[in-house]
Amino acid sequence: MKALVYQGPGNKALEERPKPVIVDAGDALVRITKTTICGTDLHILKGDVPSCAPGRILGHEGVGVIEAVGPGVTAFKPGDPVLISCITSCGRCDYCRRGMYSHCVTGGWILGNVIDGTQAEFVRIPHADTSLYPIPAGADEEALVMLSDILPTGFECGVLNGKVSPGCSVAIVGAGPIGLATLLTAQFYSPAEIIMIDLDDNRLEVARRFGATCTINSTDGGAVEAVKAFTDGRGVDAAIEAVGIPATFELCERIVAPGGVIANIGVHGAKVDLHLETLWSQNISITTRLVDTATTAMLLKTVVSKKLDPTKLITHRFGLDDVLEAYDVFGRAAETGALKVIIEASAP
């Protein structure tokens, strides 16, 4: 089969790989129909994720059709269309019973990290019964690809951890796909203000279309002053970091209001300074989280019922043969206008 393979920092290739096989009783073999590229894949290619070794097939998002199942799988059968969760969970370990599926002792974020992932024609999914979701008849597969990762990540790590609530003020630092997913799902809770901060005017325009009440281009270094001016000098109740670099986290530290929350979403590959000399007296909470996908079933219902339309995040489409071009387009988003790219691995 064809697969996109990580070959070490800065290197990747489309290769021929053996088709995966059932290894454990709870496994399912899924034929990928559609997948996508995540900002985390770019972090891997930068060398920010040492757990991902050269030779790994990348990708942790997608939808497909069950090709085969192990004898322990009871919820799915060959031919079933499924949504693949970016988080694999056994459902039985202590972490899973606490709803922390990302820390499952035999799962967590393993796809495209410590086991081969979804940017291929086929993928093996461990713990299939608790790591796959049936796709309802008539559902838009491209919309559901957004449910593998970015929508639950934005919602859980940003909106829920940020304690977004009716009437509050929110700033999302980073208007990439994950920041925009956070913007879409923050509106479930009717915050009074959602401020979007980015360096890219095109993405800020998208944010305005998606519901941002204020957008700030931080290129000139004046974002802190702009946020304070917009909030009558207070700052924001929820400052959500959606990039994963020191500058954006430190910006969140400077714009959060007393009693507020800094909710980190970004994947960080370098240390960040924590300015306790200014925050120690401000009743600030700082949250970190790897998405647990505990809200995927709920988000799936909102998408199927048309209450949430994640297809507006999709800007480009490619076949698997053109996955290297897809990475190039996605990696040069400031030039190409790319948000999420859909990669069609096989016909539905």
Side-chain angles (χ1 to χ4, degrees), residues 121-135:
E121 293 180 285
F122 295 89
V123 64
R124 179 181 70 90
I125 304 295
H127 303 308
D129 278 346
T130 43
S131 304
L132 297 172
Y133 295 83
I135 293 180

Side-chain angles (χ1 to χ4, degrees), residues 2-4 12-15 35 37 119 121 316-330 341-345:
K2 295 171 184 173
L4 191 283
K12 60 189 177 300
L14 183 63
E15 297 182 4
T35 182
I37 302 169
Q119 290 169 14
E121 293 180 285
H316 295 75
R317 292 168 177 82
F318 301 88
L320 185 59
D321 285 339
D322 299 316
V323 67
L324 294 177
E325 181 185 356
Y327 263 90
D328 178 63
V329 168
F330 185 70
V341 302
I342 289 290
I343 299 168
E344 187 165 325

Side-chain angles (χ1 to χ4, degrees), residues 298-342:
M298 178 276 290
L299 292 169
L300 177 59
K301 292 176 183 177
T302 68
V303 171
V304 171
S305 65
K306 310 296 186 184
K307 302 297 183 184
L308 180 65
D309 179 16
T311 60
K312 60 177 69 175
L313 293 165
I314 300 166
T315 56
H316 295 75
R317 292 168 177 82
F318 301 88
L320 185 59
D321 285 339
D322 299 316
V323 67
L324 294 177
E325 181 185 356
Y327 263 90
D328 178 63
V329 168
F330 185 70
R332 295 186 298 110
E335 302 167 48
T336 64
L339 292 173
K340 289 298 281 185
V341 302
I342 289 290

Side-chain angles (χ1 to χ4, degrees), residues 79-97:
D80 287 347
V82 290
L83 164 67
I84 298 168
S85 174
C86 66
I87 298 298
T88 301
S89 60
C90 72
R92 292 189 286 272
C93 71
D94 180 60
Y95 287 117
C96 284
R97 287 179 179 273

Side-chain angles (χ1 to χ4, degrees), residues 235-264:
V236 294
D237 300 308
I240 300 173
E241 199 287 330
V243 181
I245 60 174
T248 49
F249 189 88
E250 291 185 36
L251 176 57
C252 288
E253 295 182 63
R254 297 176 65 193
I255 62 175
V256 67
V261 178
I262 299 172
N264 183 82

